[in-house]
Amino acid sequence: MPSKETVRRQRTMGGAVGVVVLGMALVYHFFPRVFHVDPTRVATQRGMNLGPVSASSNGARLQATAGAQAELDAGPPLTLAPTDVIVARMGNKNAHLPEQLSADTPEVEALLDRAGKALRAGQLVGDKDGAAALYAEALKLKPDSRRAAQGMYEVRARLVAEIGQDIAVGDAESAGELLGSLKTLPNAQDDVTQLETKLKTLAQVRPMLAKAASLLQQGKVDQPKGNNALELYRDVQQLDPENAVAGQGISQVQRAVLDRALAAVAQNEFKDASDALTEAGAILPGSQQLQDVQGRVDGIRHQRASGVLAQARSALDAGNLALAQQLAEQAKELSADVPGLNDFQERLTNARLYASYKPGQVFNDRYVDLPGQTPAMVVVPTGNFAMGARDDETGRSDSESPQHQVTIAKGFAMARAEVTIGQFREFVRASSYQPDSVKLGGASVYDERSGALRDDPDATWQSDYAGRNTSDDKLPVVNVSWNDAKAYADWLSQRTGKRYRLPSEAEFEYTLRGGTTTRYWWGNGTPPRKVENLTGSGDRSQSGRRWSNAFANYRDGYWGPAPVMSFEANPYGLYDIDGNVSEWVQDCWHDNYVRAPLDGAAWVNPGCSVRVVRGGSWGSSPEQVRSAYRQGADGSVRNGRVGFRVLREL
């Protein structure tokens, strides 16, 4: 075994180069690829003691057997500073210096000078020329010498630091030797007790760390259960919570798990990558390497999700909704917050429910075989509503009950306004269709003298509400039968290639209400402003007639129909939906809603002749304008208060 003098010289020389080697060793250990080294192909290299070392911790270790070397390889990371630095951090002032009664004698001064030189040279203990022996002799000659007491304190502090270094690098032999010397110093019992405990712990954890290092090299980082590096490192931390080797080992385990995550991402196995990241997060939550890999994986996820979403857009543009939905779900699974996903989902929903239109959107279909276009259509949103009147609604009739829930699961577009005379004229001219008012002769029109309706055999669809021929193409067409209305809708289907028809009764009430549940779509009483062409107490006919049953204090300025869209739209963007003229719908008349469809479909019986009319007109009483109000009429009826509008399926 080398002498104490040799050990001290080595420690002094080692401290001079320790910091430089420490830095290189740390870079090699944590970032081996800086030196173009693949850590998976190179065995773990034992760290060097960067502080003053003994010959037994240098030359003897280089000649150790392979088994002993593996145990040393499991030593802690090289993060120890030189002894002087450690002592400085510990503080080298003795808080319990004696009260000196007289000056040190020349003999004591000489001993103290020799002791100081020995201390600076690292000759702490071991013979009579060591700093400890010289300070002890000075204290023997003068027990109250403060210099001697402080010097002995510094000797003890340096010994404690060196023993701690030896324990940290796993050099139990050197630590035990120095611990024996520490026991000979005064006031060292507390330090001795603590260091002996650390030595015992070192004896326990060294073989555990060696085995953990071996398992780590074998790739058994976290599996199999009961025989992996992570469990051993955790066991070491239970025995020694501050063990730096275990901490470093756990960091290496996390690195291996993170490598699995990156490998999974490279194979587009994002679920496996997510599982690996979750496992890595449980090993060392919040570590920098975890955050770095998480960022890389998220970036790859976003990139991959963006590519899949682009494919989904292409599928949607091609009309393949099923494939578009499938790809959108894949993109969401890859990255729920990929940019553009919410917008795409809205587009997909609109494509599925509204044929790529949006609720509230207004459009016209152009004819495919001749110049012209359809009436302006507005897209009605899907939803559900209570159809019919509540039991306590004033003015209700049995035909409006029972109130029942109807679901409109598929979007549709409704004409913004009633079909006008001009639009119906275009249809008659292009199709040579003969309306019932011409074929069957006449219609029921308003009689100014009696204030009631009268049959006029000369009135046609080109006449106004009073039977007078009119050239105002913006007025709603009246004096048309249910058959005329259906014929117009069928003609639009032929001209556009789209499915036009009369709305069902449920679709009409749903659209009329516009999401409201009140008596009228604007509220429960007289409108606060001009919302529809209604019977108002302030309205007057040409001869000064007044309505006997009208909305109090309301005046819209019209007696008879007004040009379409002269008033407000309801919440769904429909004009004149509950005023101006009542409108034909597709359904056959039924006395009540028992067994009525709940999906918004028309309730039709083969061969029925009586159809349903919905919505108020310019001549309807307030009770007849209620959103729930309905009436039946023979499909051949032509009337100056009844027109229609069309619906387009999406």
Side-chain angles (χ1 to χ4, degrees):
M1 179 180 292
S3 67
K4 281 295 179 180
E5 183 64 26
T6 301
V7 172
R8 301 300 171 255
R9 285 199 300 271
Q10 287 177 335
R11 290 184 182 276
T12 301
M13 294 175 62
V17 297
V19 174
V20 175
V21 180
L22 167 64
M24 295 178 64
L26 287 173
V27 171
Y28 174 82
H29 187 81
F30 291 107
F31 308 100
R33 290 184 175 84
V34 173
F35 297 99
H36 306 287
V37 175
D38 185 349
T40 64
R41 299 177 58 186
V42 180
T44 305
Q45 300 297 314
R46 181 194 174 275
M48 300 173 59
N49 182 2
L50 300 186
V53 296
S54 64
S56 63
S57 62
N58 189 359
R61 290 176 188 163
L62 295 177
Q63 301 171 4
T65 63
Q69 185 65 44
E71 189 168 321
L72 292 175
D73 286 346
L78 309 176
T79 57
L80 298 177
T83 304
D84 289 342
V85 175
I86 296 176
V87 172
R89 290 182 178 178
M90 293 171 59
N92 59 356
K93 298 298 181 181
N94 190 349
H96 303 288
L97 292 175
E99 182 180 355
Q100 188 162 345
L101 301 177
S102 60
D104 294 332
T105 65
E107 183 180 3
V108 171
E109 290 278 1
L111 287 170
L112 293 175
D113 289 342
R114 289 174 57 197
K117 291 179 181 179
L119 179 64
R120 290 188 293 274
Q123 300 173 3
L124 303 181
V125 294
D127 54 40
K128 62 186 178 73
D129 293 322
L134 293 172
Y135 282 127
E137 186 176 350
L139 285 171
K140 183 177 180 181
L141 294 176
K142 189 168 180 40
D144 64 347
S145 172
R146 294 172 67 88
R147 280 184 63 194
Q150 176 62 27
M152 186 63 77
Y153 174 84
E154 292 184 4
V155 170
R156 189 172 73 249
R158 285 177 176 271
L159 276 177
V160 170
E162 291 180 3
I163 295 169
Q165 284 182 319
D166 286 340
I167 292 174
V169 297
D171 190 350
E173 182 181 1
S174 177
E177 179 184 349
L178 294 177
L179 186 58
S181 299
L182 180 63
K183 291 179 180 179
T184 66
L185 301 184
N187 304 319
Q189 186 56 46
D190 290 344
D191 293 327
V192 169
T193 300
Q194 293 180 8
L195 292 171
E196 285 180 335
T197 300
K198 292 182 178 180
L199 269 175
K200 290 179 181 178
T201 302
L202 175 61
Q204 287 182 275
V205 302
R206 282 179 66 182
M208 297 169 64
L209 292 171
K211 182 178 180 182
S214 176
L215 291 172
L216 200 60
Q217 291 178 347
Q218 296 173 35
K220 299 178 180 179
V221 291
D222 58 342
Q223 295 294 332
K225 187 175 182 181
N227 187 32
N228 62 73
L230 177 60
E231 291 178 357
L232 276 174
Y233 285 132
R234 295 291 193 205
D235 291 342
V236 170
Q237 288 187 325
Q238 290 291 323
L239 296 170
D240 185 6
E242 298 180 0
N243 190 283
V245 171
Q248 176 189 341
I250 289 174
S251 179
Q252 290 175 321
V253 169
Q254 186 188 58
R255 178 72 262 174
V257 176
L258 291 173
D259 286 344
R260 289 209 303 261
L262 292 174
V265 166
Q267 299 297 322
N268 288 328
E269 298 292 343
F270 288 97
K271 183 181 184 304
D272 292 344
S274 179
D275 292 342
L277 286 171
T278 300
E279 183 180 347
I283 293 172
L284 276 179
S287 70
Q288 186 59 51
Q289 64 180 3
L290 174 63
Q291 295 178 32
D292 292 343
V293 174
Q294 181 73 65
R296 291 175 61 185
V297 171
D298 288 345
I300 297 172
R301 278 180 178 275
H302 275 73
Q303 183 178 13
R304 176 60 177 154
S306 296
V308 174
L309 188 59
Q311 297 175 26
R313 292 192 182 98
S314 298
L316 180 59
D317 292 341
N320 193 336
L321 302 188
L323 179 60
Q325 177 68 46
Q326 180 181 353
L327 291 171
E329 290 173 355
Q330 291 181 13
K332 184 177 181 180
E333 184 177 351
L334 288 171
S335 180
D337 58 347
V338 59
L341 181 60
N342 291 337
D343 290 341
F344 178 81
Q345 292 286 16
E346 182 178 354
R347 280 189 59 200
L348 186 60
T349 298
N350 289 340
R352 186 172 61 251
L353 299 179
Y354 309 109
S356 296
Y357 293 104
K358 296 180 180 180
Q361 183 175 348
V362 177
F363 68 92
N364 301 82
D365 284 324
R366 293 193 173 276
Y367 302 150
V368 296
D369 57 350
L370 52 83
Q373 62 183 14
T374 66
M377 310 297 293
V378 60
V379 178
V380 177
T382 58
N384 56 76
F385 75 110
M387 184 175 182
R390 297 192 306 270
D391 292 342
D392 61 349
E393 183 172 320
T394 303
R396 66 175 292 278
S397 67
D398 291 341
S399 67
E400 301 163 8
S401 63
Q403 191 178 57
H404 55 288
Q405 287 292 319
V406 174
T407 298
I408 306 296
K410 179 73 171 145
F412 58 84
M414 187 85 87
R416 297 180 77 191
E418 297 135 342
V419 174
T420 65
I421 293 176
Q423 291 165 339
F424 199 79
R425 178 178 290 113
E426 176 189 38
F427 154 61
V428 171
R429 287 175 177 173
S431 66
S432 299
Y433 175 80
Q434 189 174 30
D436 282 349
S437 60
V438 176
K439 182 169 56 177
L440 301 179
S444 296
V445 297
Y446 176 74
D447 182 16
E448 178 70 23
R449 290 176 297 177
S450 65
L453 294 179
R454 63 177 177 84
D455 290 337
D456 184 346
D458 297 324
T460 69
W461 61 270
Q462 299 187 78
S463 306
D464 67 6
Y465 74 106
R468 301 180 295 261
N469 286 344
T470 178
S471 60
D472 190 345
D473 284 351
K474 292 185 178 181
L475 286 173
V477 65
V478 291
N479 304 324
V480 288
S481 67
W482 183 90
N483 293 322
D484 295 337
K486 181 180 182 301
Y488 177 81
D490 291 344
W491 179 77
L492 288 181
S493 297
Q494 295 171 4
R495 299 286 73 75
T496 62
K498 309 298 181 180
R499 171 68 170 147
Y500 280 83
R501 58 175 171 82
L502 294 178
S504 71
E505 184 177 6
E507 290 166 338
F508 191 95
E509 183 174 333
Y510 175 72
T511 306
L512 184 155
R513 289 183 179 274
T516 66
T517 59
T518 49
R519 184 177 174 86
Y520 313 102
W521 66 255
W522 58 82
N524 288 310
T526 298
R529 58 194 178 279
K530 294 181 180 181
V531 296
E532 294 269 17
N533 180 10
L534 306 169
T535 55
S537 63
D539 291 326
R540 300 289 185 273
S541 72
Q542 291 180 348
S543 62
R545 284 187 174 276
R546 300 183 180 183
W547 298 111
S548 60
N549 186 6
F551 287 97
N553 302 315
Y554 184 77
R555 181 177 182 276
D556 54 49
Y558 287 91
W559 192 280
V564 297
M565 299 177 64
S566 296
F567 299 91
E568 289 187 11
N570 82 336
Y572 281 172
L574 281 298
Y575 292 86
D576 307 314
I577 190 71
D578 201 19
N580 219 27
V581 296
S582 299
E583 303 177 25
W584 290 110
V585 296
Q586 191 175 359
D587 301 56
C588 297
W589 172 257
H590 296 84
D591 292 337
N592 53 54
Y593 287 136
V594 176
R595 296 187 299 277
L598 303 179
D599 60 357
W603 194 2
V604 178
N605 305 109
C608 75
S609 59
V610 180
R611 300 287 175 167
V612 179
V613 175
R614 293 299 302 255
S617 75
W618 58 271
S620 299
S621 68
E623 287 73 19
Q624 295 172 330
V625 181
R626 290 179 300 108
S627 296
Y629 180 76
R630 59 195 294 262
Q631 58 183 318
D634 191 279
S636 63
V637 164
R638 288 86 65 198
N639 190 292
R641 292 182 178 177
V642 179
F644 70 99
R645 74 179 70 211
V646 293
L647 177 147
R648 201 265 235 185
E649 294 182 356
L650 300 178

